[in-house]
Amino acid sequence: MAPTAASNKNVGAVAVAESNNDGSSKEWRLRAPTRGGAMAAAGDKMSIRAVRYKISASVDERGPRPVLPLAHGDPSVFPEFRTAAEAEDAVADALRSGEFNCYPAGVGIPAARRAVADHLSRDLPYKLSSDDIFLTAGGTQAIEVVISILAQPGTNILLPRPGYPNYEVRAAFNNLEVRHFDLIPEKGWEIDLDNLESIADKNTTAMVIINPNNPCGNVYTREHLSKVAEVARKLGILVIADEVYGNLVFGNSTFVPMGCFGHIVPILTIGSLSKRWIVPGWRLGWVAICDPKKILLETKIATLITNFLNVSTDPATFIQGALPNILKNTKEEFFKRIIDLLTETSEICYREIKNIKCITCPHKPEGSMFVMVKLNLYLLEGIHDDVHFCCQLAKEESVILCPGSVLGMENWVRITFAIDSSSLLDGLERIKSFCRRHQKKNLLNVL
């Protein structure tokens, strides 16, 4: 017989009763974990992956056209975005050496930590040591580590709106209160510093800055980053600098690591191989402590990170073993090729969006792989919000976009331009056709 479930109000559990053939029953006391429940709920509502799967389910599988993935930043499936041969060779050599089939140290193997420290130090006014570097299973685990060690009863963290939802999910899981500061579309998505300062209090532990920005595609200037550092210093909080898209900038933009301001405020930098090397499936990231004045020494941040990683998963040892040669041997020609591709596709995206009246782009993308656009719902018939827009678009045009509500901005959508140019043009043309088909009848001449 199939088991049946009933709630137990006394212990907050779910009792599952299994009927036996002799008419008796066996009760299994399965508790519903509150922390896991919070994580599951957050993962359903605030996960890009979950929302993307929901929208993809709207696609008509019998449709004659291929599905165009304009929702997430993974161009690795497109041949022109293939990673560097030097990176592939480094992984193959590490694997064939037979030296990296073992368990690694929780914080990462020493040679890989030194390589990341040297790599990051090239752009900083001071040197990092291997003790400042902690290797993680991609940027996702780096976020998990940092949020987990900072979460204390009664504390809060300041997150950007719009932003990357994994921070909010992890905060929910750790009972860490989230407060949002705004990014200003009309000012190139700069941080509203007055807003940032106004929402902090004595229980604020940290703020997050994402640069180059996901989801907005902007790149912060040195001047703006300096102002952010000064505000954080005034508030007495550390800065979590998400630089997963570091150096993926184009046009006249320049990437300035937040660690350059480590003498003003302590920084925890999150980075990875995923985006710059176009290898998100390799799952290699890091947390770097950028704190030349050793302000964090008394807080034992390094010890907390080490303790967390000692009971957590590790990046694959052979990927760690390959890391020194990946960082050392990858040629500038590869990075230039990727930047040239993103420059071309970002220009196409910005240009073509101007011709789609139902969406508005307030700022030309300067970095990362994304652009945020506002939905002009008043022009559309029968479209209720951003999620409905994305689901209907997927159903009718087989184009997948990311709704802004999962990023903290209702009735906006995020579009990736990290895709081959012909597919991008096709996708934007389909969006245009969708908007024309759903235009309000009294606005025929507008679209």
Side-chain angles (χ1 to χ4, degrees):
M1 296 289 289
T4 59
S7 63
N8 185 326
K9 294 181 180 179
N10 294 327
V11 295
V14 175
V16 180
E18 179 184 13
S19 299
N20 298 322
N21 291 332
D22 61 2
S24 64
S25 64
K26 170 66 179 177
E27 184 177 283
W28 299 93
R29 300 187 181 280
L30 305 177
R31 291 177 180 269
T34 56
R35 285 168 63 88
M39 182 67 178
D44 179 56
K45 296 178 181 179
M46 294 184 283
S47 162
I48 291 177
R49 183 177 294 177
V51 171
R52 182 160 50 87
Y53 287 160
K54 174 183 177 181
I55 292 169
S56 296
S58 300
V59 172
D60 184 355
E61 295 181 356
R62 299 166 298 177
R65 296 179 295 181
V67 177
L68 297 179
L70 302 184
H72 64 296
D74 181 7
S76 61
V77 297
F78 302 102
E80 51 268 76
F81 282 95
R82 183 170 178 169
T83 194
E86 296 84 6
E88 294 177 345
D89 291 343
V91 171
D93 291 345
L95 189 59
R96 290 174 180 146
S97 73
E99 298 177 11
F100 302 105
N101 297 326
C102 56
Y103 289 122
V107 294
I109 63 176
R113 297 176 74 193
R114 283 195 300 271
V116 173
D118 292 342
H119 175 70
L120 297 179
S121 294
R122 291 184 303 195
D123 296 322
L124 298 175
Y126 52 90
K127 293 292 185 182
L128 298 177
S129 74
S130 58
D131 290 338
D132 296 318
I133 306 299
F134 303 85
L135 300 186
T136 61
T140 298
Q141 191 191 27
I143 294 171
E144 177 186 2
V145 172
V146 170
I147 297 300
S148 297
I149 65 168
L150 292 177
Q152 299 294 331
T155 57
N156 64 77
I157 189 170
L158 312 183
L159 301 183
R161 181 173 50 206
Y164 184 59
N166 274 27
Y167 288 97
E168 196 149 350
V169 172
R170 280 295 160 190
F173 182 60
N174 287 281
N175 296 315
L176 178 61
E177 180 191 350
V178 168
R179 298 180 181 182
H180 294 101
F181 58 88
D182 293 322
L183 307 183
I184 308 172
E186 299 79 16
K187 293 186 176 181
W189 297 104
E190 282 190 350
I191 294 171
D192 185 334
L193 297 176
D194 292 335
N195 177 221
L196 172 67
E197 191 170 345
S198 70
I199 62 174
D201 62 19
K202 64 180 181 180
N203 295 318
T204 302
T205 184
M207 65 166 291
V208 171
I209 183 170
I210 305 173
N211 184 47
N213 192 274
N214 170 21
C216 302
N218 61 299
V219 178
Y220 293 117
T221 64
R222 180 178 290 272
E223 179 185 15
H224 189 64
L225 293 175
S226 177
K227 291 178 180 178
V228 171
E230 292 292 352
V231 171
R233 178 182 177 83
K234 179 180 178 181
L235 296 173
I237 61 175
L238 67 83
V239 175
I240 302 166
D242 185 328
E243 297 177 353
V244 167
Y245 290 89
N247 291 291
L248 288 182
V249 298
F250 21 90
N252 297 322
S253 302
T254 302
F255 170 64
V256 179
M258 193 69 200
C260 289
F261 306 95
H263 61 287
I264 298 175
V265 62
I267 312 288
L268 295 181
T269 296
I270 292 174
S272 80
L273 286 182
S274 299
K275 305 304 181 179
R276 196 179 183 201
W277 272 266
I278 319 294
V279 287
W282 290 10
R283 312 311 300 141
L284 195 290
W286 54 78
V287 177
I289 299 178
C290 300
D291 181 28
K293 290 187 174 182
K294 307 301 180 184
I295 294 170
L296 297 178
L297 198 59
E298 293 186 9
T299 67
K300 301 186 183 303
I301 287 289
T303 300
L304 292 171
I305 295 175
T306 300
N307 292 344
F308 187 97
L309 292 175
N310 280 340
V311 293
S312 187
T313 190
D314 311 305
T317 311
F318 67 91
I319 301 292
Q320 294 189 48
L323 188 55
N325 283 332
I326 292 173
L327 297 178
K328 180 176 69 175
N329 295 337
T330 303
K331 294 182 173 61
E332 282 301 319
E333 286 83 353
F334 166 73
F335 298 125
K336 184 178 184 303
R337 175 169 64 82
I338 296 301
I339 293 299
D340 287 346
L341 284 169
L342 291 174
T343 300
E344 177 190 5
T345 54
S346 67
E347 292 283 351
I348 290 171
C349 192
Y350 186 66
R351 182 189 71 223
E352 296 301 315
I353 285 173
K354 289 181 179 179
N355 297 321
I356 306 174
K357 302 304 181 183
C358 69
I359 58 178
T360 301
C361 179
H363 185 71
K364 185 177 182 180
E366 306 164 317
S368 79
M369 300 176 176
F370 306 103
V371 63
M372 282 288 282
V373 299
K374 185 177 182 179
L375 288 177
N376 299 320
L377 292 178
Y378 69 92
L379 296 175
L380 299 173
E381 191 78 58
I383 302 297
H384 311 310
D385 55 33
D386 54 312
V387 175
H388 187 220
F389 176 91
C390 291
C391 288
Q392 287 299 114
L393 179 67
K395 180 179 180 180
E396 298 179 25
E397 297 289 348
S398 297
V399 175
I400 311 299
L401 300 182
C402 179
S405 54
V406 75
L407 308 168
M409 291 278 278
E410 292 184 3
N411 298 330
W412 290 66
V413 294
R414 186 188 71 173
I415 301 174
T416 182
F417 46 81
I419 186 173
D420 69 275
S421 56
S422 61
S423 295
L424 179 60
L425 282 166
D426 185 10
L428 293 170
E429 185 59 36
R430 294 190 203 179
I431 295 172
K432 187 175 182 178
S433 297
F434 175 85
C435 288
R436 284 176 170 167
R437 190 161 56 252
H438 288 271
Q439 64 189 355
K440 288 187 175 178
K441 301 298 185 291
N442 59 340
L443 298 172
L444 289 175
N445 295 325
V446 176
L447 303 181

